[in-house]
């Protein structure tokens, strides 16, 4: 792959996506970050010495995604790598999870990645080079109580990853999923806040809900996930395709 790749990271304004964007920019890649909130993207870029190109879009809106990718490709050139990190979580018992929640999660967690893949594939075929990495989850591989819609969308994202990898196996484009366990980001900070508010538990007790799932007894850091992406982005990983790479301290084996 060429030295200055253009990499697009959806959900790149915070958490895991931002750690990935930073790590790739540090290796010299041109990195575009996408998310709905432009101010958050701009702040993230400023904090990285303006090394990231902020482009706002809602990944669930295919027209908006088309416009955003056209803008990014014009400014940074064809994309040779896409990381789909945009995602949302809703927590509720199955009986209280309505169609509005199922549709919202499907639209962002599955269709969002589909829309972005559609945008980059023609260019990757022309470049004869490509890496697509979907940030899935341990919830792509097992169930968890009270997140039925989230787990279903993350299973679907992994199914899409595996099928697309096979479709592209006769090209130099690889498609993989990285499946983090509970990771230290706003998603977990918000969930801990929710548990405290709903149950009156202490912060330590609420946090133990998440650290206890990991045999190493801790949260994964976004930077650890980013290191896995750096390797998947390298030529050394050209035989890796259709894989679900778990970064979860042994939670799944
Ligand atoms: P964050 O909430 O920090 O990141 C999610 C990002 O997605 C935000 O930057 C958000 O930006 C963006 N986003 C959400 N909806 C949309 C949308 N419709 N269009 C464009 N961007 C959107 O959490 P994480 O970093 O933890 O999550 C990143 C990914 O990692 C998600 O897919 C999540 O499911 C997955 N994951 C997280 C785990 C964890 O424990 N934290 C564990 C396993 C997987 P904005 O709101 O501005 O749009």
């Amino acid at each position: 792959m060429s030295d200055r790749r253009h990499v697009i990271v959806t959900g790149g304004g915070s958490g895991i996506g931002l750690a990935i964007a930073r790590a790739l920019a540090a290796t010299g890649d041109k990195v575009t970050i996408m998310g709905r909130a432009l101010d958050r993207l701009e702040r993230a870029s400023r904090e990285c010495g303006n090394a990231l190109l902020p482009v706002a879009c809602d990944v669930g809106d295919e027209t908006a995604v088309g416009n955003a990718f056209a803008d990014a490709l014009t400014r940074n050139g064809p994309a040779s790598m896409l990381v789909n990190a945009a995602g949302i979580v809703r927590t509720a018992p199955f009986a209280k999870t309505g169609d509005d929640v199922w549709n919202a999660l499907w639209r962002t967690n599955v269709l969002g990645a589909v829309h972005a893949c559609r945008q980059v594939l023609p260019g990757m075929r022309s470049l004869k080079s490509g890496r697509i990495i979907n940030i899935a989850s341990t919830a792509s591989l097992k169930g968890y109580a009270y997140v039925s819609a989230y787990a279903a969308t993350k299973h679907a994202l992994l199914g899409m990853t595996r099928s697309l990898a096979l479709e592209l196996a006769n090209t130099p484009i690889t498609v993989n999923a990285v499946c983090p366990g509970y990771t230290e980001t706003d998603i977990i900070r918000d969930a801990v806040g929710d548990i405290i508010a709903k149950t009156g538990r202490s912060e330590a007790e609420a946090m133990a809900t998440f650290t206890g799932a990991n045999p190493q007894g801790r949260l994964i850091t976004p930077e650890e996930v980013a290191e896995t992406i750096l390797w998947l982005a390298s030529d050394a990983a050209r035989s890796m395709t259709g894989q679900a790479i778990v970064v979860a301290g042994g939670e799944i084996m």
Side-chain angles (χ1 to χ4, degrees), residues 10-18 34-41 57-61 84-89 107-109 135-139 150 154 157 178-190 219 222:
T10 72
S14 65
I16 292 172
L18 178 55
M34 293 187 182
R36 290 165 300 180
L38 184 60
D39 55 341
R40 171 139 84 163
L41 298 172
C57 81
D58 175 347
V59 293
D61 175 344
N84 285 307
I88 53 173
V89 182
R107 181 180 178 277
T108 300
N109 296 355
I135 305 303
S137 170
T138 45
Y150 179 74
K154 289 295 182 179
L157 182 60
V178 171
C179 301
Y182 291 123
T183 306
E184 209 178 328
T185 71
D186 285 349
I187 284 183
I188 296 301
R189 284 186 278 273
D190 292 349
L219 296 181

Side-chain angles (χ1 to χ4, degrees), residues 109-142:
N109 296 355
V110 182
L111 287 182
V114 170
H115 295 156
C117 287
R118 281 191 190 130
Q119 292 296 322
V120 296
L121 280 172
M124 287 180 176
R125 287 182 189 278
S126 306
L127 283 175
K128 297 193 173 21
S129 162
R131 294 278 189 274
I132 294 175
I133 301 170
N134 295 321
I135 305 303
S137 170
T138 45
S140 299
L141 298 159
K142 62 179 266 198

Side-chain angles (χ1 to χ4, degrees), residues 141-159:
L141 298 159
K142 62 179 266 198
Y144 293 87
Y146 307 117
V147 285
S148 52
Y150 179 74
T153 60
K154 289 295 182 179
H155 275 66
L157 182 60
L158 179 55

Side-chain angles (χ1 to χ4, degrees), residues 91 182-211 219:
T91 311
Y182 291 123
T183 306
E184 209 178 328
T185 71
D186 285 349
I187 284 183
I188 296 301
R189 284 186 278 273
D190 292 349
V192 167
D194 266 4
I195 292 173
I196 295 169
K198 284 182 187 154
T199 66
R201 286 188 213 160
S202 70
E203 188 176 347
E205 286 167 336
M207 184 58 85
T209 313
F210 302 103
T211 54
L219 296 181

